[in-house]
């Protein structure tokens, strides 16, 4: 019997579709890693989001597994090399949350340009400071996108009504200029960007990529948007760049550490909280009412193909 373990919160449509393909499905969104480790040998496949890592130990224990289904985009919590060595098929569903991420990045950018967080707090506190909350317009600004995959392209597309110049750099892709973005070198991004938006995966190469040195070279004070992965940005370096005026503001949907109470103990987090120039959200850029269902639909379509 083909058995599928759903080890995270997925829309019920995924279970329904998998059953139609002949799977016996155990939907256990609350299951822990330790519990999964103990029973994973019974399963043909596992579906997960980012609750825990599918690491070498889990893959070794998964003696009957044929596929890993990632209900979302980022595969950094899966040991892809270990999976490949066992011929385990890995599928993901970035088409399900790319609209959500593109819109979230737009929302963060507009909020930062219009000082909305600060202005809202002030008005509630009885402060009517029009001059101190004078905003910036997106029109005629240059938006630099790093990584032109599903998320980068979605953001570029969503920007198309704002009369901005969109330039994009992708280290592993070329020939991708289109009506929404112009392909450029990293040097061009550094020279021209007013806004820098990260849409790359977390890899050994991109971990801590945005550090003091990276931020130093930008010619204009930038807005940094990170809806990719927290570990790509060195937050202490970002805070220093904000203090030096190299970074005008930052919209961070993801953080280097994403769990309370661990976050409260970290010095950079306490500084981040105090900064008026930073806008935070709890890793929800790709998590909307719509994407919740779309991700599962896309994943089920891909599951059908690997039957
Ligand atoms: N905050 C959230 O809720 C969400 C976050 N994400 C994050 O966004 C990331 C990107 O997702 P997708 O666009 O679907 O991935 P993708 O694989 O479609 O595109 C990523 C692009 O980045 C490029 N790239 C890789 N390393 C690079 C480097 N060092 N410099 C420049 N370009 C590089 C690749 O060539 C690729 O074209 C995911 O890995 C995930 O971590 C994705 C969805 C939701
Ligand atoms: O799709 C992604 O890469 C995401 O970051 C979404 O995260 P999640 O699956 O909701 O924990």
């Amino acid at each position: 019997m083909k058995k599928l373990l759903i080890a995270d919160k997925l829309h019920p449509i995924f279970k329904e579709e998998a059953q139609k393909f002949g799977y016996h499905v155990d939907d256990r969104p609350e299951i822990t890693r330790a519990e999964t480790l103990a029973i994973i040998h019974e399963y043909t496949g596992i579906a997960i989001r980012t609750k825990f890592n599918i690491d070498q130990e889990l893959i070794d224990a998964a003696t009957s597994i044929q596929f890993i289904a990632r209900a979302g985009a980022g595969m950094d919590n899966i040991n892809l090399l270990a999976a490949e060595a066992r011929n385990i098929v890995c599928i993901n569903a970035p088409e399900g949350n790319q609209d959500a991420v593109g819109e979230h990045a737009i929302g963060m950018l507009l909020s930062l340009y219009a000082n909305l967080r600060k202005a809202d707090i002030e008005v509630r506190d009885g402060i009517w400071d029009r001059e101190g909350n004078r905003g910036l317009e997106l029109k005629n600004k240059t938006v630099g996108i790093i990584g032109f995959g599903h998320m980068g392209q979605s953001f570029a597309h969503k920007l198309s009504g704002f009369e901005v110049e969109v330039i994009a750099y992708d280290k592993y892709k070329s020939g991708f200029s289109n009506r929404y973005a112009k392909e450029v070198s990293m040097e061009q991004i550094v020279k021209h960007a007013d806004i820098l938006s990260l849409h790359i995966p977390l890899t050994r190469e991109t971990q801590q990529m945005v550090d003091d040195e990276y931020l130093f070279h930008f010619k204009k004070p930038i807005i940094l948007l990170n809806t990719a992965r927290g570990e790509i940005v060195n937050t202490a370096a970002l805070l220093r760049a904000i203090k030096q005026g190299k970074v005008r503001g930052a919209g961070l949907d993801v953080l280097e550490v994403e769990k309370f109470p661990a976050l409260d103990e970290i010095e950079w987090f306490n500084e981040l909280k105090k900064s008026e120039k930073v806008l935070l959200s709890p890793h929800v850029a790709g998590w909307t009412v719509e994407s919740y269902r779309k991700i599962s639909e896309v994943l089920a379509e891909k599951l059908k193909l690997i039957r």
Side-chain angles (χ1 to χ4, degrees):
M1 187 182 29
K2 299 192 295 182
K3 281 183 78 178
L4 166 62
L5 175 66
I6 300 181
D8 222 322
K9 184 174 162 59
L10 266 70
H11 192 280
I13 191 89
F14 184 69
K15 179 179 178 178
E16 287 161 28
E17 291 297 309
Q19 283 171 332
K20 284 188 208 157
F21 309 150
Y23 286 96
H24 168 89
V25 184
D26 289 327
D27 191 4
R28 298 186 57 185
E30 305 303 329
I31 198 167
T32 63
R33 186 183 181 283
E35 287 164 345
T36 305
L37 196 60
I39 60 165
I40 193 68
H41 62 275
E42 297 170 21
Y43 290 91
T44 321
I46 182 169
I48 190 151
R49 285 169 49 211
T50 45
K51 196 168 76 180
F52 52 75
N53 288 350
I54 309 278
D55 54 16
Q56 181 83 55
E57 187 186 20
L58 234 153
I59 289 174
D60 287 346
T63 45
S64 310
I65 211 151
Q66 290 170 12
F67 68 86
I68 299 167
R70 160 63 167 116
M75 306 273 261
D76 48 287
N77 63 325
I78 300 169
N79 187 332
L80 294 173
L81 286 177
E84 197 187 337
R86 289 260 316 279
N87 286 325
I88 299 166
V89 178
C90 294
I91 52 173
N92 67 346
E95 301 85 352
N97 61 5
Q98 61 184 15
D99 286 313
V101 170
E103 289 191 19
H104 195 91
I106 294 277
M108 286 195 131
L109 179 52
L110 292 177
S111 301
L112 286 159
Y113 258 24
N115 300 309
L116 285 185
R117 198 189 76 87
K118 173 173 168 285
D120 177 83
I121 292 170
E122 286 182 3
V123 173
R124 285 165 202 267
D125 282 349
I127 299 165
W128 196 262
D129 179 10
R130 296 178 69 198
E131 189 49 35
N133 284 302
R134 191 137 52 116
L136 284 163
E137 293 174 18
L138 266 177
K139 184 170 174 170
N140 294 333
K141 300 294 189 304
T142 300
V143 182
I145 292 179
I146 309 295
F148 207 61
H150 296 86
M151 307 302 146
Q153 288 177 48
S154 167
F155 182 47
H157 188 177
K158 310 283 177 201
L159 280 167
S160 62
F162 287 100
E163 299 174 84
V164 288
E165 169 140 29
V166 182
I167 56 178
Y169 166 71
D170 193 300
K171 191 167 176 184
Y172 301 105
K173 246 186 207 170
S174 58
F176 59 78
S177 283
N178 61 26
R179 56 192 273 235
Y180 301 118
K182 182 176 156 205
E183 178 186 343
V184 294
S185 64
M186 193 59 211
E187 287 69 34
Q188 295 295 309
I189 298 259
V190 163
K191 200 164 164 194
H192 298 294
D194 298 288
I195 293 129
L196 183 76
S197 194
L198 304 175
H199 298 287
I200 49 180
L202 174 65
T203 61
R204 234 174 263 149
E205 180 190 43
T206 63
Q207 187 161 26
Q208 298 289 296
M209 183 183 92
V210 180
D211 58 8
D212 290 293
E213 153 92 18
Y214 187 98
L215 294 169
F216 176 78
H217 295 288
F218 280 83
K219 297 284 175 269
K220 301 190 223 170
I222 52 165
I223 291 278
L224 176 74
L225 301 175
N226 188 7
T227 57
R229 282 293 178 266
E231 296 95 319
I232 295 170
V233 176
N234 180 313
T235 319
L238 170 63
L239 284 160
R240 279 190 287 276
I242 290 175
K243 265 194 199 135
Q244 292 157 4
K246 298 283 309 172
V247 170
R248 187 192 282 283
L252 308 176
D253 178 56
V254 286
L255 292 177
E256 281 183 80
V257 175
E258 295 195 347
K259 286 206 171 57
F260 288 105
L263 261 176
D264 279 325
E265 307 291 316
I266 298 172
E267 203 182 315
W268 59 250
F269 183 61
N270 287 314
E271 245 189 274
L272 214 53
K273 278 199 292 187
K274 285 185 227 144
S275 176
E276 277 179 351
K277 297 184 172 168
V278 176
L279 189 64
L280 302 169
S281 56
H283 198 148
V284 289
W287 190 231
T288 58
V289 171
E290 291 84 355
S291 73
Y292 174 46
R293 186 183 171 107
K294 251 191 292 179
I295 286 169
S296 282
E297 287 171 347
V298 169
L299 206 62
E301 279 301 311
K302 293 189 182 175
L303 179 62
K304 196 177 359 182
L305 297 177
I306 60 165
R307 265 192 303 162

